[in-house]
Amino acid sequence: MSSLRLVLGDQLSRSLSALQAIDPADDVVLMAEVSAEATYVPHHKQKIALVFSAMRHFAELLRAEGIRVDYVRLDDPDNSHSLEGEMARAIRRHHPDRLVMTEAGEWRLACAMRQWQQQIDCPLEILPDDRFFIRPTQFAAWAKGRKLLRLEHFYQEMRKRTGILMDGPTPYGGRYNFDVENRKALPRGTVLPQRRRFPPDRITREVIALVDRRFTDHFGRLEGFGWPVTRAQARAALRHFVEDALPQFGAYQDAMATDAPFLFHSLLSPALNLGLLTARELCRAAEEAYLEGQAPLPAVEGFIRQILGWREYVRGVYWLKMPDYAQSNALGASRPLPAFYWDGKTRMRCLAEAVQHTRDHAYSHHIQRLMLTGNFALLAGIEPRAVEDWYLAVYADAYEWVELPNTHGMALYADGGILASKPYAASGAYIKRMSDFCGHCTYDVTAKLGADACPFNYLYWAFLIRKADVLQDNPRLAMAYRTLAGWSAAQKDAYLIAAKRFLDGVA
Ligand code: FAD
Ligand code: DLZ
Ligand code: SF4
C-alpha cells in the first residue's frame, strides 16, 4: 500500500508520527512552500527564510536516507500556493492508496485538515503529534474538575510524571521552584557570552534571496540571519547554550539591557518549534549539566520549568479552550496597534529597543515580550487580535498554539484570568529595576505626571482606574487598589486625562 506523507514546515523531526512507519520503496513524502502559510499573517522575513531553509535541508536529509521527497518550491510555476491545493496536485501525480499526516499545531490548519478528509478522494489518516511530553487529551484529563488551571500545579505534576529533576518522589534541592533566586537585574560590566550563530550556507542564501524578492514588504531584516537550519546545527546551538549560558540563565532570566538582545537566553525556541530539537532532549541536556556540576540547580530548574512547565501548559490551554479562547476580550480592549510596533519610532527607549531587536533578529526575549511590548499593549487597551497578529508575525518561533495563550492570556489578560492569576501590569519602576533603558530615555521614569513623565507611570494607574470594575477584587492587586482608594476624584482624573492624551497621540 503506497502512502503520501505530508510534512509541514514545523514538523521537521525524523521521529514525526507521519514518518514513523514510512516504507521507502512505496511511499512519497510531500513538502510544499506555499504563500498561504507565509502570508496568513505577514511573517517576519527571517521567519520565512528559516522555515523554507530548514524544510529544504530536511528534505535533503530524508533523500539521503533513500526516501522519495516530492518538494514543491515557492517559485514552481504550477504551485497553487495552498497546502490543500498541493495535496490535491500531489495525489494526481502519485495516485497513493492513502494520505498520512501528523496533526497540525495551529487550530486553523488542524480544522482545514479534517475538512480535507471530506473533500479529497483518498483515505486520510491524521496521527497525533507525539513530540510533546503530553497530549491535549491528557491535559484535558488533568484540567477536568479544576476551578483554576495554575501553572505551578501542572508543573509539579509534570515533574512527578516524567521524573525530571526528581530523586524518587522528592524534587532535587527539596523544592520544585527556585524562582525567588532568579529575577536579578544585570550588574554593570557583566560579561555576556559570545552567541553562536550559523552563517547561511548555499541553501539558506538561495532562500534569503527568494524571500527578499517575494516578501519585500514584510517586516524585518534578513541581514545577519544566523538561526540553526539543520538538526546538527540545532544540536550545536544546544551544546553552546548549556556550556556558555545556562549557568547564568536563572539569575538573569528577567533582566533587560541596551544592545543585549540575547543575554543568557537559549535562543532555542525557533529550532525547537520547527522540530529540529525535542523538548525532551533540551530538558535532559540541562538536567545532565546539573548532575555533572556544570550549572547550578536554580538555573537548570528555571530553564526546565519553561519547557516542561510553561510550553506544555500553554499548548494544553490552547487545545482545551480553542476556538472560543481567541474570541474573549475580558478587558474590553479596542485601540488600534500603534505604528511604532512596526517602525520602532517612539521616544520610549525601552520599546524602541524591543522593536529594534525584533526587527533585526525576529527575536526578543520573554521579558521584553511580556513586560515591554505586552505590558504597553495591556495598559493602552490595544485590541487583542491586533496584538496577537503582531506577535504571530514578528517572531521566528511564533506558532499560534504557543503565541496565542502567551499573548491573549499572559500578556493581555484577555481571557479573564484562565492563564494568569493577575494582569502582568507594571509601571516604569519595574522597567527601571530590571534594565538600563531608563538612563538612555528622554522620559523621566521617576515623574508620575507631566510632559516628560514616563508614560508607563500614568498608563499604569489609568489602567487600574479604568478597569476597576473587573480587577479591584483580585487579591493580588489589593495593594494597588488600596493606594487608589486614597486618591481624590481630581487626582484620578489627572491620570486618566494624561493617559488618554498620550494614547490619542500614538494611535
Ligand atoms: P529561553 O528563555 O531560553 O527559554 C527556554 C525555552 O523555554 C524556550 O526556548 C521556549 O521553548 C520555552 N519557553 C519559555 N517561556 C515560555 C512560555 N511562556 N511559553 C512557552 N514556552 C516557553 N514562545 C514561543 O516559542 N513562540 C511564541 O510565539 C511565543 N510568543 C510569546 C508571546 C508573548 C506575548 C510572550 C510573553 C511570550 C511568548 N513566548 C513564545 C514565550 C517566550 O517568550 C519564548 O519562548 C522565548 O522568549 C524564546 O526564546 P528562548 O528560546 O531564548 O527562550
Ligand atoms: C510558518 C510556515 C511558513 C512560513 N511556510 C510554510 C510553508 O510554505 N509550508 C509549510 O508546510 N509550512 C509552512 N509554515 C509552517 C506552517 O504555518 C505550520 O505548519 C502551521 O502553522 C501549523 O503549525
Ligand atoms: Fe521606558 Fe519609561 Fe524607562 Fe523611558 S523612562 S525607558 S519609557 S520605562
Side-chain angles (χ1 to χ4, degrees), residues 27 30 42 58 102 117 181 195 211 228 245 250 283 288 296 298 312 350 359 366 373 390 418 420 449-450 471-472 481:
D27 295 354
L30 172 68
F58 189 70
T102 295
Q117 272 171 322
E181 286 162 48
R195 301 318 300 261
V211 171
C283 292
E288 265 170 37
E312 297 286 327
C350 50
R359 185 199 61 203
H366 184 68
T373 41
W390 183 80
I418 292 175
L449 284 171
L471 300 176
Q472 67 189 351
Y481 278 104

PDB file of all heavy atoms in Angstrom, residues 27 30 42 58 102 117 181 195 211 228 245 250 283 288 296 298 312 350 359 366 373 390 418 420 449-450 471-472 481:
ATOM      1  N   ASP A  27       6.448   4.669  -0.525  1.00  0.00           N
ATOM      2  CA  ASP A  27       5.869   5.926  -0.040  1.00  0.00           C
ATOM      3  C   ASP A  27       6.587   7.157  -0.593  1.00  0.00           C
ATOM      4  O   ASP A  27       7.755   7.089  -0.973  1.00  0.00           O
ATOM      5  CB  ASP A  27       5.942   5.978   1.496  1.00  0.00           C
ATOM      6  CG  ASP A  27       5.086   4.891   2.142  1.00  0.00           C
ATOM      7  OD1 ASP A  27       4.363   4.205   1.391  1.00  0.00           O
ATOM      8  OD2 ASP A  27       5.157   4.743   3.366  1.00  0.00           O
ATOM      9  N   LEU A  30       5.573  14.484   0.912  1.00  0.00           N
ATOM     10  CA  LEU A  30       5.266  15.755   0.241  1.00  0.00           C
ATOM     11  C   LEU A  30       5.622  16.907   1.170  1.00  0.00           C
ATOM     12  O   LEU A  30       5.209  16.933   2.329  1.00  0.00           O
ATOM     13  CB  LEU A  30       3.768  15.829  -0.102  1.00  0.00           C
ATOM     14  CG  LEU A  30       3.299  17.190  -0.633  1.00  0.00           C
ATOM     15  CD1 LEU A  30       3.891  17.488  -2.009  1.00  0.00           C
ATOM     16  CD2 LEU A  30       1.768  17.253  -0.695  1.00  0.00           C
ATOM     17  N   PRO A  42       1.603  38.559   7.993  1.00  0.00           N
ATOM     18  CA  PRO A  42       2.821  38.871   7.220  1.00  0.00           C
ATOM     19  C   PRO A  42       4.079  38.555   8.022  1.00  0.00           C
ATOM     20  O   PRO A  42       4.673  39.421   8.647  1.00  0.00           O
ATOM     21  CB  PRO A  42       2.693  40.373   6.960  1.00  0.00           C
ATOM     22  CG  PRO A  42       1.843  40.881   8.089  1.00  0.00           C
ATOM     23  CD  PRO A  42       0.934  39.772   8.514  1.00  0.00           C
ATOM     24  N   PHE A  58      15.819  19.594   5.479  1.00  0.00           N
ATOM     25  CA  PHE A  58      15.190  18.362   5.979  1.00  0.00           C
ATOM     26  C   PHE A  58      14.885  17.420   4.815  1.00  0.00           C
ATOM     27  O   PHE A  58      15.087  16.205   4.909  1.00  0.00           O
ATOM     28  CB  PHE A  58      13.901  18.709   6.740  1.00  0.00           C
ATOM     29  CG  PHE A  58      13.294  17.547   7.476  1.00  0.00           C
ATOM     30  CD1 PHE A  58      13.911  17.016   8.598  1.00  0.00           C
ATOM     31  CD2 PHE A  58      12.091  16.991   7.055  1.00  0.00           C
ATOM     32  CE1 PHE A  58      13.342  15.937   9.280  1.00  0.00           C
ATOM     33  CE2 PHE A  58      11.516  15.913   7.738  1.00  0.00           C
ATOM     34  CZ  PHE A  58      12.145  15.396   8.852  1.00  0.00           C
ATOM     35  N   THR A 102       0.656  14.243  10.249  1.00  0.00           N
ATOM     36  CA  THR A 102       0.618  14.476  11.694  1.00  0.00           C
ATOM     37  C   THR A 102      -0.230  15.717  11.927  1.00  0.00           C
ATOM     38  O   THR A 102      -0.143  16.684  11.163  1.00  0.00           O
ATOM     39  CB  THR A 102       2.052  14.700  12.226  1.00  0.00           C
ATOM     40  OG1 THR A 102       2.786  13.481  12.035  1.00  0.00           O
ATOM     41  CG2 THR A 102       2.061  15.081  13.698  1.00  0.00           C
ATOM     42  N   GLN A 117     -10.524  15.605   4.788  1.00  0.00           N
ATOM     43  CA  GLN A 117     -10.999  14.214   4.842  1.00  0.00           C
ATOM     44  C   GLN A 117     -12.277  14.051   4.027  1.00  0.00           C
ATOM     45  O   GLN A 117     -12.503  13.014   3.424  1.00  0.00           O
ATOM     46  CB  GLN A 117     -11.244  13.777   6.301  1.00  0.00           C
ATOM     47  CG  GLN A 117      -9.989  13.214   6.926  1.00  0.00           C
ATOM     48  CD  GLN A 117     -10.109  12.972   8.417  1.00  0.00           C
ATOM     49  OE1 GLN A 117     -10.727  13.753   9.147  1.00  0.00           O
ATOM     50  NE2 GLN A 117      -9.493  11.902   8.891  1.00  0.00           N
ATOM     51  N   GLU A 181      15.172  32.843  43.543  1.00  0.00           N
ATOM     52  CA  GLU A 181      16.614  33.080  43.415  1.00  0.00           C
ATOM     53  C   GLU A 181      16.981  33.616  42.039  1.00  0.00           C
ATOM     54  O   GLU A 181      18.137  33.932  41.772  1.00  0.00           O
ATOM     55  CB  GLU A 181      17.383  31.794  43.710  1.00  0.00           C
ATOM     56  CG  GLU A 181      17.352  31.518  45.198  1.00  0.00           C
ATOM     57  CD  GLU A 181      17.696  30.099  45.566  1.00  0.00           C
ATOM     58  OE1 GLU A 181      18.709  29.610  45.052  1.00  0.00           O
ATOM     59  OE2 GLU A 181      16.958  29.516  46.374  1.00  0.00           O
ATOM     60  N   ARG A 195      27.452  34.754  21.390  1.00  0.00           N
ATOM     61  CA  ARG A 195      26.451  33.760  20.991  1.00  0.00           C
ATOM     62  C   ARG A 195      26.785  33.085  19.679  1.00  0.00           C
ATOM     63  O   ARG A 195      27.261  33.737  18.741  1.00  0.00           O
ATOM     64  CB  ARG A 195      25.059  34.406  20.907  1.00  0.00           C
ATOM     65  CG  ARG A 195      24.587  35.026  22.199  1.00  0.00           C
ATOM     66  CD  ARG A 195      24.871  34.214  23.440  1.00  0.00           C
ATOM     67  NE  ARG A 195      24.260  32.915  23.454  1.00  0.00           N
ATOM     68  CZ  ARG A 195      23.129  32.620  24.092  1.00  0.00           C
ATOM     69  NH1 ARG A 195      22.514  33.549  24.809  1.00  0.00           N
ATOM     70  NH2 ARG A 195      22.627  31.414  24.044  1.00  0.00           N
ATOM     71  N   VAL A 211      13.207  35.135  -0.483  1.00  0.00           N
ATOM     72  CA  VAL A 211      12.336  35.850   0.465  1.00  0.00           C
ATOM     73  C   VAL A 211      12.455  37.358   0.240  1.00  0.00           C
ATOM     74  O   VAL A 211      11.463  38.091   0.249  1.00  0.00           O
ATOM     75  CB  VAL A 211      12.695  35.463   1.919  1.00  0.00           C
ATOM     76  CG1 VAL A 211      11.963  36.346   2.919  1.00  0.00           C
ATOM     77  CG2 VAL A 211      12.375  33.989   2.165  1.00  0.00           C
ATOM     78  N   PRO A 228      19.945  28.326  13.465  1.00  0.00           N
ATOM     79  CA  PRO A 228      20.240  26.958  13.015  1.00  0.00           C
ATOM     80  C   PRO A 228      19.129  26.461  12.092  1.00  0.00           C
ATOM     81  O   PRO A 228      17.952  26.667  12.379  1.00  0.00           O
ATOM     82  CB  PRO A 228      20.278  26.142  14.317  1.00  0.00           C
ATOM     83  CG  PRO A 228      19.653  26.974  15.375  1.00  0.00           C
ATOM     84  CD  PRO A 228      19.709  28.405  14.926  1.00  0.00           C
ATOM     85  N   ALA A 245      25.896  29.558  28.564  1.00  0.00           N
ATOM     86  CA  ALA A 245      24.873  30.486  29.061  1.00  0.00           C
ATOM     87  C   ALA A 245      24.014  29.906  30.184  1.00  0.00           C
ATOM     88  O   ALA A 245      23.577  30.649  31.076  1.00  0.00           O
ATOM     89  CB  ALA A 245      23.975  30.926  27.892  1.00  0.00           C
ATOM     90  N   GLY A 250      19.345  31.371  34.987  1.00  0.00           N
ATOM     91  CA  GLY A 250      18.329  31.608  36.011  1.00  0.00           C
ATOM     92  C   GLY A 250      18.406  33.015  36.567  1.00  0.00           C
ATOM     93  O   GLY A 250      17.434  33.770  36.529  1.00  0.00           O
ATOM     94  N   CYS A 283      15.503  19.267  27.996  1.00  0.00           N
ATOM     95  CA  CYS A 283      15.414  19.055  29.449  1.00  0.00           C
ATOM     96  C   CYS A 283      16.513  18.107  29.917  1.00  0.00           C
ATOM     97  O   CYS A 283      17.147  18.335  30.951  1.00  0.00           O
ATOM     98  CB  CYS A 283      14.037  18.508  29.823  1.00  0.00           C
ATOM     99  SG  CYS A 283      12.725  19.714  29.567  1.00  0.00           S
ATOM    100  N   GLU A 288      21.441  16.999  32.890  1.00  0.00           N
ATOM    101  CA  GLU A 288      22.799  16.432  32.924  1.00  0.00           C
ATOM    102  C   GLU A 288      23.817  17.475  33.369  1.00  0.00           C
ATOM    103  O   GLU A 288      24.740  17.181  34.133  1.00  0.00           O
ATOM    104  CB  GLU A 288      23.185  15.938  31.529  1.00  0.00           C
ATOM    105  CG  GLU A 288      22.911  14.450  31.340  1.00  0.00           C
ATOM    106  CD  GLU A 288      23.076  14.047  29.886  1.00  0.00           C
ATOM    107  OE1 GLU A 288      23.990  14.571  29.194  1.00  0.00           O
ATOM    108  OE2 GLU A 288      22.235  13.246  29.454  1.00  0.00           O
ATOM    109  N   PRO A 296      24.185  25.473  38.167  1.00  0.00           N
ATOM    110  CA  PRO A 296      23.502  25.373  39.463  1.00  0.00           C
ATOM    111  C   PRO A 296      22.023  25.004  39.307  1.00  0.00           C
ATOM    112  O   PRO A 296      21.421  25.265  38.267  1.00  0.00           O
ATOM    113  CB  PRO A 296      23.643  26.793  40.040  1.00  0.00           C
ATOM    114  CG  PRO A 296      23.842  27.680  38.869  1.00  0.00           C
ATOM    115  CD  PRO A 296      24.505  26.864  37.798  1.00  0.00           C
ATOM    116  N   PRO A 298      19.176  26.282  40.562  1.00  0.00           N
ATOM    117  CA  PRO A 298      18.171  27.307  40.232  1.00  0.00           C
ATOM    118  C   PRO A 298      18.145  27.634  38.733  1.00  0.00           C
ATOM    119  O   PRO A 298      17.083  27.869  38.163  1.00  0.00           O
ATOM    120  CB  PRO A 298      18.609  28.526  41.055  1.00  0.00           C
ATOM    121  CG  PRO A 298      19.353  27.945  42.198  1.00  0.00           C
ATOM    122  CD  PRO A 298      20.063  26.734  41.659  1.00  0.00           C
ATOM    123  N   GLU A 312       4.405  23.206  27.735  1.00  0.00           N
ATOM    124  CA  GLU A 312       3.373  22.173  27.689  1.00  0.00           C
ATOM    125  C   GLU A 312       2.028  22.734  28.167  1.00  0.00           C
ATOM    126  O   GLU A 312       0.973  22.392  27.643  1.00  0.00           O
ATOM    127  CB  GLU A 312       3.782  20.986  28.575  1.00  0.00           C
ATOM    128  CG  GLU A 312       5.035  20.286  28.115  1.00  0.00           C
ATOM    129  CD  GLU A 312       4.841  19.414  26.866  1.00  0.00           C
ATOM    130  OE1 GLU A 312       3.758  18.837  26.688  1.00  0.00           O
ATOM    131  OE2 GLU A 312       5.806  19.310  26.070  1.00  0.00           O
ATOM    132  N   CYS A 350      12.751  51.976  25.970  1.00  0.00           N
ATOM    133  CA  CYS A 350      12.604  50.536  26.199  1.00  0.00           C
ATOM    134  C   CYS A 350      11.863  49.884  25.028  1.00  0.00           C
ATOM    135  O   CYS A 350      12.256  48.811  24.552  1.00  0.00           O
ATOM    136  CB  CYS A 350      11.866  50.286  27.516  1.00  0.00           C
ATOM    137  SG  CYS A 350      10.339  51.218  27.693  1.00  0.00           S
ATOM    138  N   ARG A 359      12.988  43.516  14.946  1.00  0.00           N
ATOM    139  CA  ARG A 359      13.223  43.748  13.512  1.00  0.00           C
ATOM    140  C   ARG A 359      14.536  43.098  13.052  1.00  0.00           C
ATOM    141  O   ARG A 359      14.608  42.470  12.005  1.00  0.00           O
ATOM    142  CB  ARG A 359      13.285  45.272  13.257  1.00  0.00           C
ATOM    143  CG  ARG A 359      13.408  45.643  11.792  1.00  0.00           C
ATOM    144  CD  ARG A 359      13.932  47.054  11.627  1.00  0.00           C
ATOM    145  NE  ARG A 359      15.266  47.178  12.229  1.00  0.00           N
ATOM    146  CZ  ARG A 359      15.801  48.321  12.640  1.00  0.00           C
ATOM    147  NH1 ARG A 359      15.135  49.445  12.552  1.00  0.00           N
ATOM    148  NH2 ARG A 359      17.023  48.341  13.171  1.00  0.00           N
ATOM    149  N   HIS A 366      11.811  36.765  26.611  1.00  0.00           N
ATOM    150  CA  HIS A 366      10.492  36.681  27.231  1.00  0.00           C
ATOM    151  C   HIS A 366      10.076  37.966  27.953  1.00  0.00           C
ATOM    152  O   HIS A 366       8.937  38.430  27.825  1.00  0.00           O
ATOM    153  CB  HIS A 366      10.488  35.496  28.204  1.00  0.00           C
ATOM    154  CG  HIS A 366       9.157  35.259  28.817  1.00  0.00           C
ATOM    155  ND1 HIS A 366       8.074  34.811  28.089  1.00  0.00           N
ATOM    156  CD2 HIS A 366       8.704  35.434  30.081  1.00  0.00           C
ATOM    157  CE1 HIS A 366       7.025  34.721  28.878  1.00  0.00           C
ATOM    158  NE2 HIS A 366       7.384  35.081  30.093  1.00  0.00           N
ATOM    159  N   THR A 373       6.590  45.219  25.203  1.00  0.00           N
ATOM    160  CA  THR A 373       5.535  45.303  24.177  1.00  0.00           C
ATOM    161  C   THR A 373       4.197  44.782  24.714  1.00  0.00           C
ATOM    162  O   THR A 373       3.137  45.343  24.395  1.00  0.00           O
ATOM    163  CB  THR A 373       5.951  44.524  22.918  1.00  0.00           C
ATOM    164  OG1 THR A 373       6.576  43.291  23.300  1.00  0.00           O
ATOM    165  CG2 THR A 373       6.925  45.321  22.082  1.00  0.00           C
ATOM    166  N   TRP A 390       0.381  40.681  15.514  1.00  0.00           N
ATOM    167  CA  TRP A 390       1.748  41.227  15.511  1.00  0.00           C
ATOM    168  C   TRP A 390       2.727  40.175  16.058  1.00  0.00           C
ATOM    169  O   TRP A 390       3.737  39.858  15.411  1.00  0.00           O
ATOM    170  CB  TRP A 390       1.807  42.512  16.342  1.00  0.00           C
ATOM    171  CG  TRP A 390       3.153  43.179  16.331  1.00  0.00           C
ATOM    172  CD1 TRP A 390       3.666  43.987  15.353  1.00  0.00           C
ATOM    173  CD2 TRP A 390       4.170  43.082  17.353  1.00  0.00           C
ATOM    174  NE1 TRP A 390       4.943  44.400  15.702  1.00  0.00           N
ATOM    175  CE2 TRP A 390       5.274  43.860  16.915  1.00  0.00           C
ATOM    176  CE3 TRP A 390       4.248  42.426  18.579  1.00  0.00           C
ATOM    177  CZ2 TRP A 390       6.437  43.999  17.668  1.00  0.00           C
ATOM    178  CZ3 TRP A 390       5.418  42.557  19.333  1.00  0.00           C
ATOM    179  CH2 TRP A 390       6.497  43.331  18.872  1.00  0.00           C
ATOM    180  N   ILE A 418      -7.686  32.931  32.938  1.00  0.00           N
ATOM    181  CA  ILE A 418      -7.512  31.473  32.807  1.00  0.00           C
ATOM    182  C   ILE A 418      -6.034  31.136  32.990  1.00  0.00           C
ATOM    183  O   ILE A 418      -5.662  30.198  33.681  1.00  0.00           O
ATOM    184  CB  ILE A 418      -8.020  30.992  31.425  1.00  0.00           C
ATOM    185  CG1 ILE A 418      -9.539  31.157  31.344  1.00  0.00           C
ATOM    186  CG2 ILE A 418      -7.610  29.540  31.156  1.00  0.00           C
ATOM    187  CD1 ILE A 418     -10.138  30.843  29.995  1.00  0.00           C
ATOM    188  N   ALA A 420      -3.307  33.526  33.761  1.00  0.00           N
ATOM    189  CA  ALA A 420      -2.542  34.288  34.765  1.00  0.00           C
ATOM    190  C   ALA A 420      -3.476  34.704  35.893  1.00  0.00           C
ATOM    191  O   ALA A 420      -4.625  35.059  35.653  1.00  0.00           O
ATOM    192  CB  ALA A 420      -1.946  35.530  34.097  1.00  0.00           C
ATOM    193  N   LEU A 449       3.488  62.450  36.434  1.00  0.00           N
ATOM    194  CA  LEU A 449       2.639  63.207  35.509  1.00  0.00           C
ATOM    195  C   LEU A 449       3.465  64.337  34.899  1.00  0.00           C
ATOM    196  O   LEU A 449       4.488  64.720  35.458  1.00  0.00           O
ATOM    197  CB  LEU A 449       1.443  63.822  36.251  1.00  0.00           C
ATOM    198  CG  LEU A 449       0.287  62.893  36.634  1.00  0.00           C
ATOM    199  CD1 LEU A 449      -0.699  63.628  37.546  1.00  0.00           C
ATOM    200  CD2 LEU A 449      -0.451  62.354  35.403  1.00  0.00           C
ATOM    201  N   GLY A 450       2.998  64.836  33.758  1.00  0.00           N
ATOM    202  CA  GLY A 450       3.731  65.944  33.114  1.00  0.00           C
ATOM    203  C   GLY A 450       4.281  65.481  31.778  1.00  0.00           C
ATOM    204  O   GLY A 450       4.357  64.277  31.502  1.00  0.00           O
ATOM    205  N   LEU A 471     -11.119  44.371  37.980  1.00  0.00           N
ATOM    206  CA  LEU A 471      -9.886  43.961  38.659  1.00  0.00           C
ATOM    207  C   LEU A 471      -9.823  44.250  40.158  1.00  0.00           C
ATOM    208  O   LEU A 471      -8.988  43.670  40.854  1.00  0.00           O
ATOM    209  CB  LEU A 471      -8.674  44.652  37.985  1.00  0.00           C
ATOM    210  CG  LEU A 471      -8.462  44.344  36.501  1.00  0.00           C
ATOM    211  CD1 LEU A 471      -7.301  45.176  35.946  1.00  0.00           C
ATOM    212  CD2 LEU A 471      -8.186  42.855  36.282  1.00  0.00           C
ATOM    213  N   GLN A 472     -10.670  45.139  40.683  1.00  0.00           N
ATOM    214  CA  GLN A 472     -10.410  45.609  42.053  1.00  0.00           C
ATOM    215  C   GLN A 472     -10.593  44.523  43.115  1.00  0.00           C
ATOM    216  O   GLN A 472     -10.066  44.651  44.221  1.00  0.00           O
ATOM    217  CB  GLN A 472     -11.234  46.845  42.379  1.00  0.00           C
ATOM    218  CG  GLN A 472     -12.719  46.617  42.452  1.00  0.00           C
ATOM    219  CD  GLN A 472     -13.462  47.940  42.559  1.00  0.00           C
ATOM    220  OE1 GLN A 472     -12.858  49.011  42.748  1.00  0.00           O
ATOM    221  NE2 GLN A 472     -14.779  47.899  42.437  1.00  0.00           N
ATOM    222  N   TYR A 481      -4.991  48.743  44.664  1.00  0.00           N
ATOM    223  CA  TYR A 481      -6.314  49.351  44.821  1.00  0.00           C
ATOM    224  C   TYR A 481      -6.473  50.046  46.179  1.00  0.00           C
ATOM    225  O   TYR A 481      -7.233  51.000  46.306  1.00  0.00           O
ATOM    226  CB  TYR A 481      -7.437  48.328  44.552  1.00  0.00           C
ATOM    227  CG  TYR A 481      -7.675  48.207  43.044  1.00  0.00           C
ATOM    228  CD1 TYR A 481      -7.206  47.119  42.326  1.00  0.00           C
ATOM    229  CD2 TYR A 481      -8.323  49.221  42.346  1.00  0.00           C
ATOM    230  CE1 TYR A 481      -7.386  47.035  40.949  1.00  0.00           C
ATOM    231  CE2 TYR A 481      -8.507  49.152  40.960  1.00  0.00           C
ATOM    232  CZ  TYR A 481      -8.039  48.058  40.267  1.00  0.00           C
ATOM    233  OH  TYR A 481      -8.212  47.995  38.909  1.00  0.00           O
TER     234      TYR A 481
END
